[in-house]
Amino acid sequence: MVTAAADTLEGAVRPAPALSTGTIDIALLGLGRVGSAVARAVLDTPSSGSARLRITGALIRYPERRRDVRLPASCLLTDAAEIFARRPRVVVEVLGGIEPARTLVRQALESGIPVVTANKSLVAAHGDELRRIAARSGAPFLCEATVIAGVPFLGTLSRRPRAAAVTCIRGIVNGTSNYLLTQMTATRTLAAALAEAARLGLSEPDPRNDVLGVDAAEKLSVLLQHLGWGRVAPHALDVRGIDGVQASDIDAARDLGGVIKPVILAERSVDAVTAFVGPAFVPLTDRLASVDGSENALALRNGYGELFYSGPGAGPQATAATVLDDVFEAATADGGRLESRSDAPRLSAIEPGAPVTAWFVRLTAAEKLPPAADIADLLGSFGIWLQRSSSLPATRQDACGFLTLPVERARLDSAIGALTAAARCHASVYRALEG
Amino acid sequence: MVTAAADTLEGAVRPAPALSTGTIDIALLGLGRVGSAVARAVLDTPSSGSARLRITGALIRYPERRRDVRLPASCLLTDAAEIFARRPRVVVEVLGGIEPARTLVRQALESGIPVVTANKSLVAAHGDELRRIAARSGAPFLCEATVIAGVPFLGTLSRRPRAAAVTCIRGIVNGTSNYLLTQMTATRTLAAALAEAARLGLSEPDPRNDVLGVDAAEKLSVLLQHLGWGRVAPHALDVRGIDGVQASDIDAARDLGGVIKPVILAERSVDAVTAFVGPAFVPLTDRLASVDGSENALALRNGYGELFYSGPGAGPQATAATVLDDVFEAATADGGRLESRSDAPRLSAIEPGAPVTAWFVRLTAAEKLPPAADIADLLGSFGIWLQRSSSLPATRQDACGFLTLPVERARLDSAIGALTAAARCHASVYRALEG
């Protein structure tokens, strides 16, 4: 068995000089979950295909670690210089995190070697810089797997200015937090939903970036770059985690014809960009409401309609397939044009502002809430108007939910502050997508 | 006003010699609904953009016809030779139909001029031939607007072999027939729904190709080419129109938790392709069930998940935007690589077979149907098993609906033949998508 595997692999490891056209030599930076999946997919690709793929080296940190991919020892290197010395046709960066990924990607691009990455943290933080280096050297820099890993659309929009003239972005781009909120209707607590996700292997060992909205914020930042809106650091966005969501909030949303989903939202007008990442009330009539589990979805409104994309949002297999399609594009394309919008001008930094939006509010009191009419009166005195409120059974007066008409957050906060003080109740507040 | 328009246009009509990089000269073949929208979009594009577009000639059939686009007379030509003599950078074919479109597109491609077309009839019938001419001459041949006009994905899949390794296609790709079936729940007859669509300008002057499934069949044929499944003439597909659908069929589908939608379906196994175009029972839990009106949608299952695309399916504005994005790609791309999968080998002809599928059947009798148990017994004697049947009020015994387990059509037809003869009733039969 080992012999057979070695036989199969021989062609995949010979350092080999100039090659017949049709063979694409790949250097893998990183051999973790995604890197191993990429390696397996390369080894499983029949060589009869249109282009043969070959891994000439894989950069690893821990040579002693056991790995479930049959790359021969001569391929596993701890020194990046040795990887580059084998002159790969394409570098695939799947290290994750900023360093050493940033330095190595820069190095490859500066030497004119195309780079494919699945690393959203890197692109969110330094995509603008890397894209400009790529444009200068003429080496493609592709990152299709960074947003909705399994659905190719970023590269497409980079090439198509009219489709990419997007003014509104709505989406669910973090499968883990979406799965957790879906599960919470059954498990009742986030902790129990997390335990279930871990048991099923659906969450990362450390799910904090998913729960706190960091992963989704990075993806929104990548999207804003790709659509040419500008540069924004993920931490500069209005980001909220799902850790404050109560199962009873989800129930209350359901009473008002909606569901709580972890969304990204961004709107662009002539002079302002507003953006938000976090749990929001999504009406059941909105197609995002039916995006469940690990599926991701994105609705992009442009000058002539709304483009809707959905599909597998993560997972080593989908990510590896997308990475290898990027490798194929990078190796066969006309270099720098890909992903470099008009020679990659420096994107301006954007300061997202506060949107005027509808809100979903849930009030809970230890004992009894004031009559609905009194609540509406108090909110009205702040200029907050209700579009819908939940009708509670007469026997239950300790909780209610309502949807406001669009209003800015500051005004809502003042009103809610006055209300919770006067009525001695607690309020959960969520942004609401328009129905 | 006229003077101002002439001023604005001057740059757009000067036959002009060699031009600064950044200006893309377009020859328009056809100036109908889509052609005029393309011309308007070109005239409206600010020249400050990354690439300037200019129409050097538009081929028209009737010079005397009044047009709502301000192209100067010197641009309107009835002679294609004169159009080509102006040496356009890209030819845009929006004539519709096979001839003279086919001859002119061949001519352009053979001279190495990139061609963009929105003409699905042409691509369905001759896409294979035209793609091979394009691959030989190195001129791109793009047709993104032929399927879901407003959503770019065909070109993307052409470049990405792993995403494009699709084994199952499900979609709604004809907005007119989808709109008509949606309306029929209110209007009760197809004729009334057609009149309403015509009044609102939502249907073609002659909607036969939409109603009879021809338009959807052409789109499926284009898809099968693009995904590398093979060549199939639209008329060789199993195509049914929506003209046989009764409003009461739609009601009965609703009773069983579904809706009748005009779908395309194709599945590929190791040795067979099955394909279908026509009205089908779609469970409400299927995301295709909520695709309404003029929206189009496509679900493509590949090795790692299901990619779902939806958006505007037609309309001059969406089509023009997609055509111009294709122009931009064709003019800036590395020629022949686009849309030419591995040098465009001749696609094999495919003979789609009959699938084994679930069916939705609605029975109506002039007087009274046999008891449900008797119907189930008779069907069972043919090896047809029911997964669900509608429970009718005791007062109504003249109609019923049921869903079968998957079975081949021939066996279903024998059973239904025996049943309608024995019970003296009429049967409407629809393919059912799996729930």
PDB file of all heavy atoms in Angstrom, chain B residues 14-19 25 54 87:
ATOM      1  N   ARG B  14     -17.511  59.541 -35.012  1.00  0.00           N
ATOM      2  CA  ARG B  14     -16.404  59.784 -35.928  1.00  0.00           C
ATOM      3  C   ARG B  14     -15.758  58.435 -36.285  1.00  0.00           C
ATOM      4  O   ARG B  14     -15.402  57.675 -35.390  1.00  0.00           O
ATOM      5  CB  ARG B  14     -15.377  60.691 -35.241  1.00  0.00           C
ATOM      6  CG  ARG B  14     -14.569  61.520 -36.229  1.00  0.00           C
ATOM      7  CD  ARG B  14     -13.611  62.426 -35.460  1.00  0.00           C
ATOM      8  NE  ARG B  14     -14.294  63.401 -34.630  1.00  0.00           N
ATOM      9  CZ  ARG B  14     -13.889  63.767 -33.409  1.00  0.00           C
ATOM     10  NH1 ARG B  14     -12.840  63.209 -32.858  1.00  0.00           N
ATOM     11  NH2 ARG B  14     -14.555  64.671 -32.731  1.00  0.00           N
ATOM     12  N   PRO B  15     -15.660  58.095 -37.579  1.00  0.00           N
ATOM     13  CA  PRO B  15     -15.151  56.776 -37.942  1.00  0.00           C
ATOM     14  C   PRO B  15     -13.736  56.537 -37.408  1.00  0.00           C
ATOM     15  O   PRO B  15     -13.363  55.413 -37.127  1.00  0.00           O
ATOM     16  CB  PRO B  15     -15.148  56.788 -39.471  1.00  0.00           C
ATOM     17  CG  PRO B  15     -16.064  57.908 -39.865  1.00  0.00           C
ATOM     18  CD  PRO B  15     -16.021  58.894 -38.751  1.00  0.00           C
ATOM     19  N   ALA B  16     -13.002  57.587 -37.212  1.00  0.00           N
ATOM     20  CA  ALA B  16     -11.722  57.572 -36.508  1.00  0.00           C
ATOM     21  C   ALA B  16     -10.784  56.411 -36.802  1.00  0.00           C
ATOM     22  O   ALA B  16     -11.187  55.259 -36.852  1.00  0.00           O
ATOM     23  CB  ALA B  16     -11.947  57.630 -35.007  1.00  0.00           C
ATOM     24  N   PRO B  17      -9.516  56.749 -36.956  1.00  0.00           N
ATOM     25  CA  PRO B  17      -8.481  55.742 -37.219  1.00  0.00           C
ATOM     26  C   PRO B  17      -8.031  55.083 -35.911  1.00  0.00           C
ATOM     27  O   PRO B  17      -8.806  54.972 -34.991  1.00  0.00           O
ATOM     28  CB  PRO B  17      -7.362  56.583 -37.811  1.00  0.00           C
ATOM     29  CG  PRO B  17      -7.516  57.944 -37.162  1.00  0.00           C
ATOM     30  CD  PRO B  17      -8.949  58.092 -36.804  1.00  0.00           C
ATOM     31  N   ALA B  18      -6.791  54.700 -35.844  1.00  0.00           N
ATOM     32  CA  ALA B  18      -6.247  54.077 -34.631  1.00  0.00           C
ATOM     33  C   ALA B  18      -6.500  54.961 -33.416  1.00  0.00           C
ATOM     34  O   ALA B  18      -6.370  56.180 -33.476  1.00  0.00           O
ATOM     35  CB  ALA B  18      -4.747  53.862 -34.787  1.00  0.00           C
ATOM     36  N   LEU B  19      -6.896  54.354 -32.327  1.00  0.00           N
ATOM     37  CA  LEU B  19      -7.340  55.120 -31.173  1.00  0.00           C
ATOM     38  C   LEU B  19      -6.467  54.900 -29.969  1.00  0.00           C
ATOM     39  O   LEU B  19      -5.785  53.891 -29.857  1.00  0.00           O
ATOM     40  CB  LEU B  19      -8.764  54.683 -30.832  1.00  0.00           C
ATOM     41  CG  LEU B  19      -9.762  55.181 -31.869  1.00  0.00           C
ATOM     42  CD1 LEU B  19     -10.934  54.251 -31.918  1.00  0.00           C
ATOM     43  CD2 LEU B  19     -10.182  56.591 -31.513  1.00  0.00           C
ATOM     44  N   ASP B  25     -14.144  50.143 -29.673  1.00  0.00           N
ATOM     45  CA  ASP B  25     -15.094  50.369 -30.765  1.00  0.00           C
ATOM     46  C   ASP B  25     -16.005  49.156 -30.933  1.00  0.00           C
ATOM     47  O   ASP B  25     -15.522  48.029 -31.075  1.00  0.00           O
ATOM     48  CB  ASP B  25     -14.342  50.605 -32.076  1.00  0.00           C
ATOM     49  CG  ASP B  25     -13.820  52.025 -32.150  1.00  0.00           C
ATOM     50  OD1 ASP B  25     -14.229  52.844 -31.300  1.00  0.00           O
ATOM     51  OD2 ASP B  25     -13.007  52.314 -33.040  1.00  0.00           O
ATOM     52  N   ARG B  54     -17.547  53.004 -27.690  1.00  0.00           N
ATOM     53  CA  ARG B  54     -17.995  53.819 -28.805  1.00  0.00           C
ATOM     54  C   ARG B  54     -18.637  52.913 -29.849  1.00  0.00           C
ATOM     55  O   ARG B  54     -18.079  51.861 -30.189  1.00  0.00           O
ATOM     56  CB  ARG B  54     -16.782  54.525 -29.405  1.00  0.00           C
ATOM     57  CG  ARG B  54     -17.105  55.373 -30.599  1.00  0.00           C
ATOM     58  CD  ARG B  54     -15.994  56.346 -30.855  1.00  0.00           C
ATOM     59  NE  ARG B  54     -14.785  55.684 -31.296  1.00  0.00           N
ATOM     60  CZ  ARG B  54     -13.716  56.337 -31.752  1.00  0.00           C
ATOM     61  NH1 ARG B  54     -13.710  57.651 -31.785  1.00  0.00           N
ATOM     62  NH2 ARG B  54     -12.667  55.689 -32.152  1.00  0.00           N
ATOM     63  N   ARG B  87     -13.769  48.410 -38.955  1.00  0.00           N
ATOM     64  CA  ARG B  87     -12.839  47.689 -38.090  1.00  0.00           C
ATOM     65  C   ARG B  87     -13.145  47.814 -36.584  1.00  0.00           C
ATOM     66  O   ARG B  87     -12.362  48.372 -35.814  1.00  0.00           O
ATOM     67  CB  ARG B  87     -11.410  48.131 -38.382  1.00  0.00           C
ATOM     68  CG  ARG B  87     -11.072  47.797 -39.849  1.00  0.00           C
ATOM     69  CD  ARG B  87      -9.622  47.692 -40.041  1.00  0.00           C
ATOM     70  NE  ARG B  87      -9.005  48.968 -39.750  1.00  0.00           N
ATOM     71  CZ  ARG B  87      -7.707  49.183 -39.809  1.00  0.00           C
ATOM     72  NH1 ARG B  87      -6.889  48.209 -40.099  1.00  0.00           N
ATOM     73  NH2 ARG B  87      -7.212  50.373 -39.545  1.00  0.00           N
TER      74      ARG B  87
END
